[in-house]
Amino acid sequence: MKKRFMFCLLLVISLSLSPISAVDSDWPMFQNNVKHTGYINENTDYVVNTWIHNLESPIYASPAIQDNIIYIASENGILKAINMETGELKWEHDFGSSIKGSPVIEDNILYIGTEKGLSAINIDNQKIEWNYGTSKAVESTPAIENGTIYFGSNNGHFYALNGDDGSVIFDNHLGGKIISSPAISNESIFIGSTNGKLYSINKNAGDEIWSYTTGDEIVSSPAIADDKVAVGSSDANLYVLNISDGSPVWEANMENSVKSSPLMDPHDNNIYIGSDSGNITCFDLRDGTFKWSYLTGKAIESTPAISDNQIIVGSNDGSAYILNKYTGEIDFTYNPGTYIFNSPITASPVIYGNSLFISGNDGYLYAIDLEKSTTPFSNFLYYTLAILVIILIVAVIAIRAIRKRSNTNKKSKRDILNKEVEIDPNMMNMDKDDKK
């Protein structure tokens, strides 16, 4: 009995000392959570296989992840549920309306905006729970907290709906188009509009707490950290404001329009932002001191994400950039279009363990192994190789034709020269007669 007890005790101790993999956090909404932090606290060694999945239509929004299923929608209005490990399709649903916003998941309900409004679909049985119609498209990616879903519409209205049945909690007309995604902190919601204002809204009543006016439209989504809210504007500035009253903390000029959303990293006191100048730039979150900047080939509309010591962002030059978040030095890049079939990557990257998911206007979703810097074999590489083979064949044919023509010309010249130097015997006799 004693031996059995000791064996069980040792087994329990050994199991408790064995390394146990932490459970990866899901990525249920744009930038992972309502504060738009863009990283997972419980980052683990989990890695999926590298793969690609064709959605057959441009992808403008980032995916959401729950229970090893990645949910993503493309412009053609089709939402797909994809096995995160293999890239295989589990199911799909056609909303019959263009989609430009990202899906949001709470429990077993997925919420997504379309040209017609906001829809809620049950991910267990793929049935529509409810639809809420708006007079114009919903490009704003919703935020959800405690069963209430918040989103804006191109009709200038900002809505709060009951997630269970789609009933209206409040409807506030702010003006302009509301394309940015709302961020939430305590009792306040922060949202930008193309009328150039960043709003602080009471999340329960929907009334305005304060607003801050920038010099141009805001399509960037706000981010929150350390009692500060940050947002970019098309007036080429990044603004960092106090959450409580909207008073400026600092601002930075980005030299061109800012459509990318900021990513705040309070652990290292950094804030990262892209701009239409093509730069991804790092500032000190506390006072706006410039730290570093990396120039890509075209505008950056994608919002960056953090994985361990790396910052990841997509560029309109068709590449995803994986940089050291402290120095801005490049770790590696991935260009699925192989520089010939480049398509902008405007959707924001998503991180899960050591795996990176990016999608682009080329209509493909890509799974990348960050730990080994391993990328999937893009279909566009086949097209590029085919073009190179065709170019090589054409070049060989052209070179042979040129050589043949050159040899023909040389032969013709030799024939002409031979005829010119050839002496006619009759002429020789005539010359002799003349001498006589």
Side-chain angles (χ1 to χ4, degrees):
M1 191 72 179
K2 273 186 178 179
K3 287 183 178 179
R4 186 179 297 175
F5 173 78
M6 290 302 295
F7 174 79
C8 292
L9 182 63
L10 289 170
L11 180 63
V12 169
I13 292 170
S14 65
L15 287 172
S16 65
L17 294 175
S18 298
I20 300 174
S21 297
V23 177
D24 282 81
S25 295
D26 291 326
W27 192 287
M29 64 185 72
F30 173 73
Q31 291 299 92
N32 189 34
N33 52 51
V34 294
K35 291 191 175 183
H36 296 167
T37 57
Y39 61 87
I40 293 176
N41 289 323
E42 304 89 17
N43 197 16
T44 74
D45 295 330
Y46 181 87
V47 181
V48 301
N49 299 318
T50 58
W51 49 259
I52 63 172
H53 189 99
N54 187 5
L55 276 81
E56 301 173 352
S57 180
I59 304 167
Y60 299 115
S62 58
I65 297 173
Q66 182 166 286
D67 297 333
N68 290 343
I69 304 297
I70 189 162
Y71 299 89
I72 189 166
S74 56
E75 188 186 30
N76 61 8
I78 296 177
L79 170 72
K80 290 194 175 189
I82 299 166
N83 184 304
M84 194 174 69
E85 295 183 26
T86 64
E88 295 176 353
L89 178 69
K90 290 187 70 69
W91 57 265
E92 63 181 47
H93 180 86
D94 188 355
F95 285 92
S97 178
S98 177
I99 295 176
K100 292 186 178 179
S102 303
V104 173
I105 304 172
E106 187 172 74
D107 297 327
N108 65 332
I109 305 298
L110 181 146
Y111 305 89
I112 194 161
T114 71
E115 279 186 321
K116 300 174 183 177
L118 190 79
S119 294
I121 183 171
N122 189 309
I123 58 177
D124 292 335
N125 57 27
Q126 296 87 60
K127 291 182 179 179
I128 297 293
E129 295 288 323
W130 51 261
N131 291 304
Y132 182 84
T134 56
S135 57
K136 290 190 178 178
V138 175
E139 297 182 51
S140 167
T141 295
I144 190 164
E145 187 178 63
N146 299 325
T148 301
I149 188 158
Y150 305 91
F151 66 99
S153 168
N154 287 1
N155 62 13
H157 288 254
F158 184 66
Y159 301 92
L161 305 182
N162 185 310
D164 292 333
D165 57 13
S167 58
V168 179
I169 296 173
F170 68 74
D171 173 358
N172 189 339
H173 183 240
L174 301 178
K177 292 181 180 180
I178 301 177
I179 297 172
S180 77
S181 175
I184 304 173
S185 178
N186 299 322
E187 300 304 306
S188 299
I189 305 171
F190 303 91
I191 189 73
S193 170
T194 58
N195 65 10
K197 291 183 178 182
L198 176 69
Y199 292 91
S200 174
I201 305 292
N202 184 297
K203 77 173 183 180
N204 299 311
D207 54 314
E208 181 182 318
I209 300 171
W210 56 258
S211 65
Y212 184 88
T213 303
T214 69
D216 208 336
E217 64 180 21
I218 296 176
V219 296
S220 169
S221 298
I224 298 168
D226 288 351
D227 296 323
K228 301 180 184 72
V229 56
V231 74
S233 171
S234 293
D235 68 3
N237 287 310
L238 166 66
Y239 295 90
V240 180
L241 313 173
N242 279 308
I243 281 180
S244 58
D245 58 8
S247 58
V249 179
W250 56 268
E251 65 180 70
N253 185 274
M254 302 297 296
E255 300 178 354
N256 210 323
S257 178
V258 181
K259 299 183 184 72
S260 170
S261 302
L263 172 63
M264 302 167 84
D265 182 5
H267 303 291
D268 295 306
N269 294 311
N270 289 336
I271 183 169
Y272 308 89
I273 187 86
S275 74
D276 284 6
S277 64
N279 285 290
I280 174 73
T281 305
C282 177
F283 297 98
D284 192 301
L285 177 57
R286 295 164 293 189
D287 56 14
T289 300
F290 172 85
K291 289 191 174 182
W292 58 260
S293 188
Y294 183 88
L295 180 63
T296 69
K298 285 188 178 179
I300 294 177
E301 298 180 45
S302 166
T303 298
I306 291 175
S307 174
D308 196 17
N309 294 328
Q310 294 174 321
I311 188 91
I312 299 106
V313 71
S315 170
N316 286 5
D317 66 7
S319 292
Y321 292 84
I322 296 86
L323 311 172
N324 183 295
K325 75 174 186 178
Y326 299 111
T327 65
E329 294 178 355
I330 196 157
D331 286 345
F332 71 97
T333 64
Y334 178 53
N335 184 286
T338 63
Y339 301 98
I340 294 178
F341 300 96
N342 283 348
S343 251
I345 299 175
T346 57
S348 303
V350 166
I351 310 295
Y352 194 99
N354 281 323
S355 294
L356 164 66
F357 300 94
I358 61 165
S359 51
N361 294 13
D362 60 7
Y364 286 88
L365 174 65
Y366 302 90
I368 295 169
D369 184 341
L370 284 173
E371 185 180 28
K372 297 179 181 177
S373 303
T374 306
T375 59
F377 197 78
S378 169
N379 288 348
F380 294 104
L381 186 56
Y382 293 111
Y383 306 149
T384 302
L385 291 173
I387 288 173
L388 291 175
V389 168
I390 291 169
I391 290 172
L392 183 61
I393 291 170
V394 170
V396 169
I397 292 171
I399 290 169
R400 286 181 177 177
I402 291 168
R403 283 178 176 174
K404 186 176 180 180
R405 187 180 298 171
S406 176
N407 292 335
T408 302
N409 290 338
K410 285 178 181 178
K411 185 179 179 182
S412 298
K413 286 180 180 179
R414 281 198 300 269
D415 291 344
I416 292 169
L417 288 172
N418 288 338
K419 284 181 180 180
E420 287 179 349
V421 289
E422 190 177 280
I423 300 174
D424 188 342
N426 295 325
M427 291 296 294
M428 289 288 292
N429 293 332
M430 286 178 63
D431 287 342
K432 289 179 181 178
D433 291 341
D434 289 341
K435 285 178 181 179
K436 288 179 182 180

mmCIF file of all heavy atoms in Angstrom, residues 363-398:
data_model
loop_
_atom_site.group_PDB
_atom_site.id
_atom_site.type_symbol
_atom_site.label_atom_id
_atom_site.label_comp_id
_atom_site.label_asym_id
_atom_site.label_seq_id
_atom_site.Cartn_x
_atom_site.Cartn_y
_atom_site.Cartn_z
ATOM 1 N N GLY A 363 -6.463 38.050 -52.910
ATOM 2 C CA GLY A 363 -7.510 37.087 -52.596
ATOM 3 C C GLY A 363 -7.044 35.838 -51.875
ATOM 4 O O GLY A 363 -7.820 34.905 -51.697
ATOM 5 N N TYR A 364 -5.792 35.815 -51.418
ATOM 6 C CA TYR A 364 -5.257 34.637 -50.733
ATOM 7 C C TYR A 364 -5.004 34.928 -49.249
ATOM 8 O O TYR A 364 -4.633 36.047 -48.867
ATOM 9 C CB TYR A 364 -3.937 34.189 -51.367
ATOM 10 C CG TYR A 364 -4.093 33.502 -52.706
ATOM 11 C CD1 TYR A 364 -4.110 34.240 -53.885
ATOM 12 C CD2 TYR A 364 -4.222 32.115 -52.789
ATOM 13 C CE1 TYR A 364 -4.254 33.616 -55.120
ATOM 14 C CE2 TYR A 364 -4.358 31.486 -54.023
ATOM 15 C CZ TYR A 364 -4.369 32.239 -55.175
ATOM 16 O OH TYR A 364 -4.514 31.622 -56.385
ATOM 17 N N LEU A 365 -5.192 33.897 -48.433
ATOM 18 C CA LEU A 365 -4.808 33.917 -47.028
ATOM 19 C C LEU A 365 -3.576 33.035 -46.877
ATOM 20 O O LEU A 365 -3.551 31.908 -47.362
ATOM 21 C CB LEU A 365 -5.948 33.392 -46.152
ATOM 22 C CG LEU A 365 -5.661 33.212 -44.662
ATOM 23 C CD1 LEU A 365 -5.378 34.548 -43.988
ATOM 24 C CD2 LEU A 365 -6.825 32.497 -43.974
ATOM 25 N N TYR A 366 -2.545 33.567 -46.210
ATOM 26 C CA TYR A 366 -1.268 32.872 -46.090
ATOM 27 C C TYR A 366 -0.948 32.582 -44.623
ATOM 28 O O TYR A 366 -1.096 33.460 -43.767
ATOM 29 C CB TYR A 366 -0.131 33.720 -46.670
ATOM 30 C CG TYR A 366 -0.313 34.093 -48.128
ATOM 31 C CD1 TYR A 366 -0.981 35.260 -48.490
ATOM 32 C CD2 TYR A 366 0.185 33.278 -49.139
ATOM 33 C CE1 TYR A 366 -1.146 35.609 -49.825
ATOM 34 C CE2 TYR A 366 0.031 33.622 -50.481
ATOM 35 C CZ TYR A 366 -0.641 34.792 -50.805
ATOM 36 O OH TYR A 366 -0.810 35.122 -52.138
ATOM 37 N N ALA A 367 -0.496 31.346 -44.338
ATOM 38 C CA ALA A 367 -0.041 30.960 -43.003
ATOM 39 C C ALA A 367 1.475 30.830 -43.029
ATOM 40 O O ALA A 367 2.040 30.107 -43.860
ATOM 41 C CB ALA A 367 -0.677 29.640 -42.578
ATOM 42 N N ILE A 368 2.151 31.531 -42.107
ATOM 43 C CA ILE A 368 3.610 31.624 -42.087
ATOM 44 C C ILE A 368 4.138 31.173 -40.722
ATOM 45 O O ILE A 368 3.550 31.488 -39.687
ATOM 46 C CB ILE A 368 4.057 33.078 -42.369
ATOM 47 C CG1 ILE A 368 3.648 33.472 -43.794
ATOM 48 C CG2 ILE A 368 5.562 33.258 -42.170
ATOM 49 C CD1 ILE A 368 3.812 34.949 -44.083
ATOM 50 N N ASP A 369 5.238 30.446 -40.729
ATOM 51 C CA ASP A 369 5.922 30.027 -39.507
ATOM 52 C C ASP A 369 6.941 31.105 -39.132
ATOM 53 O O ASP A 369 7.972 31.248 -39.783
ATOM 54 C CB ASP A 369 6.620 28.680 -39.746
ATOM 55 C CG ASP A 369 7.283 28.129 -38.486
ATOM 56 O OD1 ASP A 369 7.528 28.908 -37.548
ATOM 57 O OD2 ASP A 369 7.575 26.924 -38.463
ATOM 58 N N LEU A 370 6.635 31.868 -38.073
ATOM 59 C CA LEU A 370 7.531 32.950 -37.663
ATOM 60 C C LEU A 370 8.822 32.432 -37.047
ATOM 61 O O LEU A 370 9.884 33.016 -37.233
ATOM 62 C CB LEU A 370 6.826 33.858 -36.649
ATOM 63 C CG LEU A 370 5.785 34.843 -37.193
ATOM 64 C CD1 LEU A 370 5.081 35.534 -36.041
ATOM 65 C CD2 LEU A 370 6.426 35.871 -38.113
ATOM 66 N N GLU A 371 8.723 31.329 -36.314
ATOM 67 C CA GLU A 371 9.889 30.800 -35.612
ATOM 68 C C GLU A 371 10.989 30.413 -36.586
ATOM 69 O O GLU A 371 12.176 30.699 -36.357
ATOM 70 C CB GLU A 371 9.469 29.599 -34.778
ATOM 71 C CG GLU A 371 10.590 29.029 -33.911
ATOM 72 C CD GLU A 371 10.127 27.834 -33.104
ATOM 73 O OE1 GLU A 371 9.208 27.128 -33.554
ATOM 74 O OE2 GLU A 371 10.692 27.612 -32.029
ATOM 75 N N LYS A 372 10.621 29.767 -37.685
ATOM 76 C CA LYS A 372 11.611 29.305 -38.658
ATOM 77 C C LYS A 372 11.699 30.208 -39.886
ATOM 78 O O LYS A 372 12.436 29.906 -40.823
ATOM 79 C CB LYS A 372 11.271 27.881 -39.098
ATOM 80 C CG LYS A 372 11.318 26.869 -37.973
ATOM 81 C CD LYS A 372 10.945 25.481 -38.478
ATOM 82 C CE LYS A 372 10.966 24.455 -37.355
ATOM 83 N NZ LYS A 372 10.542 23.114 -37.821
ATOM 84 N N SER A 373 10.914 31.288 -39.882
ATOM 85 C CA SER A 373 10.860 32.196 -41.042
ATOM 86 C C SER A 373 10.493 31.428 -42.311
ATOM 87 O O SER A 373 11.008 31.707 -43.401
ATOM 88 C CB SER A 373 12.212 32.915 -41.235
ATOM 89 O OG SER A 373 12.567 33.611 -40.075
ATOM 90 N N THR A 374 9.589 30.448 -42.155
ATOM 91 C CA THR A 374 9.166 29.607 -43.271
ATOM 92 C C THR A 374 7.868 30.143 -43.852
ATOM 93 O O THR A 374 6.901 30.394 -43.128
ATOM 94 C CB THR A 374 8.948 28.155 -42.818
ATOM 95 O OG1 THR A 374 10.132 27.702 -42.163
ATOM 96 C CG2 THR A 374 8.647 27.256 -43.997
ATOM 97 N N THR A 375 7.851 30.297 -45.167
ATOM 98 C CA THR A 375 6.677 30.841 -45.849
ATOM 99 C C THR A 375 6.115 29.826 -46.834
ATOM 100 O O THR A 375 6.849 28.964 -47.332
ATOM 101 C CB THR A 375 7.037 32.135 -46.610
ATOM 102 O OG1 THR A 375 8.057 31.840 -47.566
ATOM 103 C CG2 THR A 375 7.529 33.212 -45.654
ATOM 104 N N PRO A 376 4.828 29.903 -47.134
ATOM 105 C CA PRO A 376 4.240 28.953 -48.085
ATOM 106 C C PRO A 376 4.695 29.231 -49.507
ATOM 107 O O PRO A 376 5.090 30.352 -49.844
ATOM 108 C CB PRO A 376 2.736 29.177 -47.926
ATOM 109 C CG PRO A 376 2.596 30.562 -47.417
ATOM 110 C CD PRO A 376 3.807 30.825 -46.574
ATOM 111 N N PHE A 377 4.619 28.203 -50.330
ATOM 112 C CA PHE A 377 4.992 28.297 -51.739
ATOM 113 C C PHE A 377 3.831 28.933 -52.496
ATOM 114 O O PHE A 377 2.806 28.310 -52.724
ATOM 115 C CB PHE A 377 5.295 26.901 -52.282
ATOM 116 C CG PHE A 377 6.064 26.899 -53.571
ATOM 117 C CD1 PHE A 377 7.417 27.120 -53.581
ATOM 118 C CD2 PHE A 377 5.408 26.673 -54.770
ATOM 119 C CE1 PHE A 377 8.130 27.104 -54.774
ATOM 120 C CE2 PHE A 377 6.114 26.657 -55.968
ATOM 121 C CZ PHE A 377 7.478 26.874 -55.960
ATOM 122 N N SER A 378 3.984 30.189 -52.863
ATOM 123 C CA SER A 378 2.901 30.940 -53.498
ATOM 124 C C SER A 378 2.604 30.430 -54.909
ATOM 125 O O SER A 378 3.514 30.063 -55.660
ATOM 126 C CB SER A 378 3.276 32.420 -53.565
ATOM 127 O OG SER A 378 2.385 33.128 -54.388
ATOM 128 N N ASN A 379 1.295 30.432 -55.242
ATOM 129 C CA ASN A 379 0.900 30.054 -56.607
ATOM 130 C C ASN A 379 1.490 30.988 -57.649
ATOM 131 O O ASN A 379 1.734 30.603 -58.788
ATOM 132 C CB ASN A 379 -0.628 30.072 -56.740
ATOM 133 C CG ASN A 379 -1.261 28.912 -56.003
ATOM 134 O OD1 ASN A 379 -0.572 27.994 -55.586
ATOM 135 N ND2 ASN A 379 -2.563 28.950 -55.839
ATOM 136 N N PHE A 380 1.728 32.233 -57.235
ATOM 137 C CA PHE A 380 2.264 33.218 -58.181
ATOM 138 C C PHE A 380 3.695 32.895 -58.588
ATOM 139 O O PHE A 380 4.182 33.380 -59.603
ATOM 140 C CB PHE A 380 2.183 34.628 -57.588
ATOM 141 C CG PHE A 380 0.774 35.105 -57.388
ATOM 142 C CD1 PHE A 380 0.201 35.123 -56.126
ATOM 143 C CD2 PHE A 380 -0.001 35.499 -58.473
ATOM 144 C CE1 PHE A 380 -1.103 35.548 -55.944
ATOM 145 C CE2 PHE A 380 -1.308 35.923 -58.298
ATOM 146 C CZ PHE A 380 -1.859 35.943 -57.032
ATOM 147 N N LEU A 381 4.370 32.070 -57.779
ATOM 148 C CA LEU A 381 5.725 31.659 -58.140
ATOM 149 C C LEU A 381 5.695 30.799 -59.397
ATOM 150 O O LEU A 381 6.575 30.900 -60.258
ATOM 151 C CB LEU A 381 6.373 30.895 -56.981
ATOM 152 C CG LEU A 381 7.840 30.517 -57.152
ATOM 153 C CD1 LEU A 381 8.693 31.749 -57.424
ATOM 154 C CD2 LEU A 381 8.340 29.792 -55.908
ATOM 155 N N TYR A 382 4.649 29.951 -59.523
ATOM 156 C CA TYR A 382 4.501 29.145 -60.739
ATOM 157 C C TYR A 382 4.339 30.054 -61.959
ATOM 158 O O TYR A 382 4.928 29.819 -63.010
ATOM 159 C CB TYR A 382 3.280 28.234 -60.621
ATOM 160 C CG TYR A 382 3.407 27.157 -59.577
ATOM 161 C CD1 TYR A 382 2.639 27.201 -58.422
ATOM 162 C CD2 TYR A 382 4.285 26.079 -59.748
ATOM 163 C CE1 TYR A 382 2.733 26.202 -57.461
ATOM 164 C CE2 TYR A 382 4.387 25.083 -58.790
ATOM 165 C CZ TYR A 382 3.612 25.151 -57.650
ATOM 166 O OH TYR A 382 3.714 24.174 -56.703
ATOM 167 N N TYR A 383 3.482 31.084 -61.789
ATOM 168 C CA TYR A 383 3.260 32.016 -62.906
ATOM 169 C C TYR A 383 4.554 32.736 -63.264
ATOM 170 O O TYR A 383 4.869 32.921 -64.443
ATOM 171 C CB TYR A 383 2.195 33.049 -62.534
ATOM 172 C CG TYR A 383 0.886 32.467 -62.066
ATOM 173 C CD1 TYR A 383 0.095 33.131 -61.136
ATOM 174 C CD2 TYR A 383 0.430 31.244 -62.536
ATOM 175 C CE1 TYR A 383 -1.122 32.603 -60.701
ATOM 176 C CE2 TYR A 383 -0.767 30.697 -62.110
ATOM 177 C CZ TYR A 383 -1.539 31.384 -61.192
ATOM 178 O OH TYR A 383 -2.716 30.859 -60.763
ATOM 179 N N THR A 384 5.291 33.131 -62.227
ATOM 180 C CA THR A 384 6.563 33.824 -62.470
ATOM 181 C C THR A 384 7.549 32.924 -63.193
ATOM 182 O O THR A 384 8.218 33.347 -64.151
ATOM 183 C CB THR A 384 7.172 34.295 -61.131
ATOM 184 O OG1 THR A 384 6.238 35.149 -60.464
ATOM 185 C CG2 THR A 384 8.468 35.053 -61.362
ATOM 186 N N LEU A 385 7.640 31.651 -62.742
ATOM 187 C CA LEU A 385 8.545 30.696 -63.405
ATOM 188 C C LEU A 385 8.119 30.452 -64.847
ATOM 189 O O LEU A 385 8.964 30.355 -65.748
ATOM 190 C CB LEU A 385 8.565 29.377 -62.634
ATOM 191 C CG LEU A 385 9.239 29.416 -61.253
ATOM 192 C CD1 LEU A 385 9.040 28.091 -60.524
ATOM 193 C CD2 LEU A 385 10.715 29.738 -61.389
ATOM 194 N N ALA A 386 6.804 30.379 -65.061
ATOM 195 C CA ALA A 386 6.298 30.174 -66.426
ATOM 196 C C ALA A 386 6.685 31.345 -67.321
ATOM 197 O O ALA A 386 7.110 31.161 -68.473
ATOM 198 C CB ALA A 386 4.785 30.000 -66.400
ATOM 199 N N ILE A 387 6.542 32.567 -66.776
ATOM 200 C CA ILE A 387 6.908 33.760 -67.550
ATOM 201 C C ILE A 387 8.407 33.760 -67.853
ATOM 202 O O ILE A 387 8.837 34.078 -68.966
ATOM 203 C CB ILE A 387 6.504 35.036 -66.784
ATOM 204 C CG1 ILE A 387 4.980 35.197 -66.814
ATOM 205 C CG2 ILE A 387 7.171 36.276 -67.375
ATOM 206 C CD1 ILE A 387 4.467 36.330 -65.962
ATOM 207 N N LEU A 388 9.211 33.402 -66.838
ATOM 208 C CA LEU A 388 10.662 33.369 -67.038
ATOM 209 C C LEU A 388 11.045 32.332 -68.093
ATOM 210 O O LEU A 388 11.945 32.574 -68.912
ATOM 211 C CB LEU A 388 11.360 33.065 -65.713
ATOM 212 C CG LEU A 388 11.294 34.164 -64.651
ATOM 213 C CD1 LEU A 388 11.920 33.692 -63.344
ATOM 214 C CD2 LEU A 388 11.999 35.431 -65.144
ATOM 215 N N VAL A 389 10.366 31.175 -68.069
ATOM 216 C CA VAL A 389 10.633 30.138 -69.082
ATOM 217 C C VAL A 389 10.275 30.648 -70.476
ATOM 218 O O VAL A 389 11.028 30.461 -71.441
ATOM 219 C CB VAL A 389 9.844 28.842 -68.763
ATOM 220 C CG1 VAL A 389 9.886 27.880 -69.942
ATOM 221 C CG2 VAL A 389 10.404 28.175 -67.515
ATOM 222 N N ILE A 390 9.101 31.314 -70.564
ATOM 223 C CA ILE A 390 8.678 31.877 -71.861
ATOM 224 C C ILE A 390 9.671 32.924 -72.346
ATOM 225 O O ILE A 390 10.055 32.950 -73.526
ATOM 226 C CB ILE A 390 7.266 32.484 -71.740
ATOM 227 C CG1 ILE A 390 6.229 31.363 -71.531
ATOM 228 C CG2 ILE A 390 6.911 33.290 -72.977
ATOM 229 C CD1 ILE A 390 4.857 31.858 -71.152
ATOM 230 N N ILE A 391 10.108 33.793 -71.410
ATOM 231 C CA ILE A 391 11.089 34.828 -71.767
ATOM 232 C C ILE A 391 12.389 34.176 -72.239
ATOM 233 O O ILE A 391 13.005 34.617 -73.223
ATOM 234 C CB ILE A 391 11.359 35.760 -70.562
ATOM 235 C CG1 ILE A 391 10.123 36.629 -70.276
ATOM 236 C CG2 ILE A 391 12.574 36.650 -70.818
ATOM 237 C CD1 ILE A 391 10.224 37.433 -68.996
ATOM 238 N N LEU A 392 12.808 33.102 -71.545
ATOM 239 C CA LEU A 392 14.041 32.399 -71.917
ATOM 240 C C LEU A 392 13.909 31.772 -73.302
ATOM 241 O O LEU A 392 14.835 31.883 -74.129
ATOM 242 C CB LEU A 392 14.343 31.320 -70.873
ATOM 243 C CG LEU A 392 15.642 30.540 -71.072
ATOM 244 C CD1 LEU A 392 16.840 31.467 -71.009
ATOM 245 C CD2 LEU A 392 15.759 29.433 -70.029
ATOM 246 N N ILE A 393 12.753 31.149 -73.565
ATOM 247 C CA ILE A 393 12.530 30.528 -74.879
ATOM 248 C C ILE A 393 12.539 31.583 -75.978
ATOM 249 O O ILE A 393 13.173 31.413 -77.032
ATOM 250 C CB ILE A 393 11.197 29.750 -74.885
ATOM 251 C CG1 ILE A 393 11.301 28.519 -73.982
ATOM 252 C CG2 ILE A 393 10.815 29.341 -76.297
ATOM 253 C CD1 ILE A 393 9.979 27.830 -73.742
ATOM 254 N N VAL A 394 11.824 32.693 -75.726
ATOM 255 C CA VAL A 394 11.783 33.790 -76.703
ATOM 256 C C VAL A 394 13.180 34.348 -76.935
ATOM 257 O O VAL A 394 13.571 34.641 -78.078
ATOM 258 C CB VAL A 394 10.825 34.899 -76.229
ATOM 259 C CG1 VAL A 394 10.958 36.134 -77.110
ATOM 260 C CG2 VAL A 394 9.384 34.396 -76.232
ATOM 261 N N ALA A 395 13.958 34.481 -75.832
ATOM 262 C CA ALA A 395 15.325 35.012 -75.947
ATOM 263 C C ALA A 395 16.204 34.077 -76.784
ATOM 264 O O ALA A 395 16.968 34.536 -77.648
ATOM 265 C CB ALA A 395 15.924 35.196 -74.557
ATOM 266 N N VAL A 396 16.075 32.767 -76.531
ATOM 267 C CA VAL A 396 16.867 31.788 -77.298
ATOM 268 C C VAL A 396 16.499 31.847 -78.778
ATOM 269 O O VAL A 396 17.386 31.852 -79.652
ATOM 270 C CB VAL A 396 16.642 30.367 -76.736
ATOM 271 C CG1 VAL A 396 17.232 29.324 -77.685
ATOM 272 C CG2 VAL A 396 17.265 30.238 -75.360
ATOM 273 N N ILE A 397 15.184 31.894 -79.059
ATOM 274 C CA ILE A 397 14.724 31.975 -80.458
ATOM 275 C C ILE A 397 15.232 33.254 -81.106
ATOM 276 O O ILE A 397 15.695 33.247 -82.257
ATOM 277 C CB ILE A 397 13.184 31.908 -80.526
ATOM 278 C CG1 ILE A 397 12.697 30.511 -80.104
ATOM 279 C CG2 ILE A 397 12.685 32.239 -81.921
ATOM 280 C CD1 ILE A 397 11.197 30.414 -79.919
ATOM 281 N N ALA A 398 15.157 34.367 -80.360
ATOM 282 C CA ALA A 398 15.599 35.664 -80.887
ATOM 283 C C ALA A 398 17.099 35.650 -81.177
ATOM 284 O O ALA A 398 17.553 36.141 -82.213
ATOM 285 C CB ALA A 398 15.254 36.777 -79.902
#
